Amino acid sequence: MFIATFPEAKAWKLTTLCLVILLGSHDSFSFYIDEASPVGPEQPETVQNFVSVFGTVAKKLMRKWLATQTMNFTGQLGAGIRYFDLRISTKPRDPDNELYFAHGLFSAKVNEGLEEINAFLTDHHKEVVFLDFNHFYGMQKYHHEKLVQMLKDIYGNKMCPAIFAQEVSLKYLWEKDYQVLVFYHSPVALEVPFLWPGQMMPAPWANTTDPEKLIQFLQASITERRKKGSFFISQVVLTPKASTVVKGVASGLRETITERALPAMMQWVRTQKPGESGINIVTADFVELGDFISTVIKLNYVFDEGEANT
């Protein structure tokens, strides 16, 4: 639970949430990849051609590299995940103009995922989630309007209007019965009060398969974070190159990269701290692996209360 990540001290309820450490998942929706779906519009021509030639076999292999989570939204919420990385797409030649989560191939309908998260929030009135809509594919103005209306219909008054990040504490959210912060990486955010501009949730991407380079990148990013005056994501995520995929084509992301690199990545996580000079939101693939969740939660207990209230 979100509340379980914080010590019982009263000061924690007053601490702004950009100064504590929160758990997040990378490509949060990818626990379900529809192998029967077409390839996503963001995929390069080489991938499109690969699938057109090899069909279902190609998609089964793709799924091994596209799925970065195994737990559904309810499972992730129950484990303590409070930040969700969401990528939205229209489906080619879809007469219903539905919106889907997408990562190479299509996932579930967006409304189904958002309703699943809302069911958890309705049962846990003091829990708070961050929904980060950071990639949009094949979306026109109409589709954005549809997504905004969907958010209104599902979350209503649970959504916290955009304010200064430094003002967002548990006390503030609880007093106003807010449970959802929606970040929207599109100019549309400037037109809708409950959409937080994407620049208030920066997520630097290392784009490497090398754990050592990833750690160097993460550490350098922390140095830069306080210049932004926002929430901040540390993506403890390795990204496969084409050559990596070819070598481990039948094994997949989890076995080929994530599990092997986990010890080095966790060693870095254990040395981190919250506060002005620390990390904020930590995202990972396959968040249930090892002791990622329990380790991140424990980091909040070393928070110096003097720093928490600065």
Side-chain angles (χ1 to χ4, degrees):
M1 296 298 176
F2 184 92
I3 306 308
T5 66
F6 298 100
E8 291 299 319
K10 181 180 178 181
W12 279 90
K13 309 307 182 278
L14 305 175
T15 303
T16 62
L17 295 186
C18 58
L19 294 181
V20 300
I21 301 179
L22 308 173
L23 285 157
S25 55
H26 173 237
D27 283 315
S28 308
F29 52 86
S30 65
F31 53 86
Y32 170 65
I33 298 290
D34 182 5
E35 295 174 6
S37 76
V39 176
E42 83 285 5
Q43 291 300 297
E45 187 177 352
T46 51
V47 174
Q48 304 277 355
N49 293 337
F50 176 63
V51 172
S52 67
V53 173
F54 294 100
T56 302
V57 173
K59 290 181 182 179
K60 287 184 179 297
L61 294 174
M62 285 178 66
R63 187 189 181 284
K64 290 177 175 289
W65 288 92
L66 296 174
T68 65
Q69 306 298 332
T70 56
M71 292 192 292
N72 63 16
F73 287 125
T74 302
Q76 291 182 45
L77 286 160
I81 302 301
R82 292 297 176 269
Y83 164 89
F84 295 92
D85 166 17
L86 306 174
R87 301 156 192 232
I88 313 302
S89 182
T90 57
K91 189 178 286 187
R93 298 175 295 280
D94 178 12
D96 298 323
N97 275 313
E98 290 283 0
L99 299 177
Y100 294 84
F101 298 115
H103 185 220
L105 295 172
F106 289 88
S107 180
K109 292 179 181 179
V110 173
N111 67 299
E112 294 173 353
L114 298 184
E115 287 171 355
E116 183 178 349
I117 293 170
N118 187 54
F120 177 89
L121 295 174
T122 299
D123 290 338
H124 304 85
H125 297 290
K126 287 194 171 183
E127 299 298 336
V128 178
V129 297
F130 295 72
L131 306 182
D132 189 8
F133 294 85
N134 51 59
H135 287 73
F136 300 100
Y137 305 113
M139 288 184 61
Q140 305 300 321
K141 182 180 179 182
Y142 161 77
H143 299 107
H144 284 287
E145 291 173 347
K146 180 174 183 175
L147 180 52
V148 168
Q149 187 60 50
M150 187 186 301
L151 288 164
K152 287 181 182 178
D153 292 344
I154 293 173
Y155 296 115
N157 293 332
K158 288 188 177 82
M159 291 186 290
C160 176
I163 56 175
F164 291 110
Q166 292 85 347
E167 296 178 16
V168 182
S169 66
L170 286 176
K171 181 176 183 294
Y172 173 83
L173 296 171
W174 290 347
E175 285 178 348
K176 297 185 177 293
D177 293 325
Y178 294 146
Q179 292 183 272
V180 183
L181 281 73
V182 179
F183 295 82
Y184 208 86
H185 296 244
S186 162
V188 172
L190 302 176
E191 306 168 9
V192 182
F194 63 77
L195 296 182
W196 294 60
Q199 61 263 34
M200 295 186 74
M201 185 63 82
W205 176 39
N207 191 17
T208 181
T209 57
D210 185 335
E212 185 175 338
K213 289 181 179 178
L214 170 63
I215 290 167
Q216 291 173 353
F217 178 86
L218 290 169
Q219 203 59 45
S221 298
I222 294 171
T223 305
E224 295 292 316
R225 68 163 289 202
R226 287 306 166 191
K227 297 178 182 178
K228 302 181 184 296
S230 62
F231 296 96
F232 186 83
I233 299 169
S234 295
Q235 297 194 67
V236 188
V237 170
L238 292 170
T239 305
K241 300 176 184 176
S243 58
T244 311
V245 175
V246 171
K247 289 177 183 177
V249 63
S251 300
L253 177 68
R254 179 170 178 148
E255 182 178 333
T256 306
I257 293 183
T258 311
E259 290 181 347
R260 294 180 182 180
L262 188 65
M265 294 191 294
M266 287 308 305
Q267 185 176 357
W268 178 83
V269 171
R270 291 188 187 96
T271 65
Q272 301 311 302
K273 63 180 181 178
E276 288 283 355
S277 58
I279 59 175
N280 181 205
I281 297 170
V282 189
T283 63
D285 292 332
F286 308 108
V287 292
E288 76 280 5
L289 281 179
D291 58 352
F292 170 72
I293 290 175
S294 60
T295 297
V296 173
I297 289 175
K298 289 175 184 176
L299 292 176
N300 281 314
Y301 284 80
V302 302
F303 202 155
D304 178 80
E305 284 195 8
E307 185 174 12
N309 289 290
T310 57

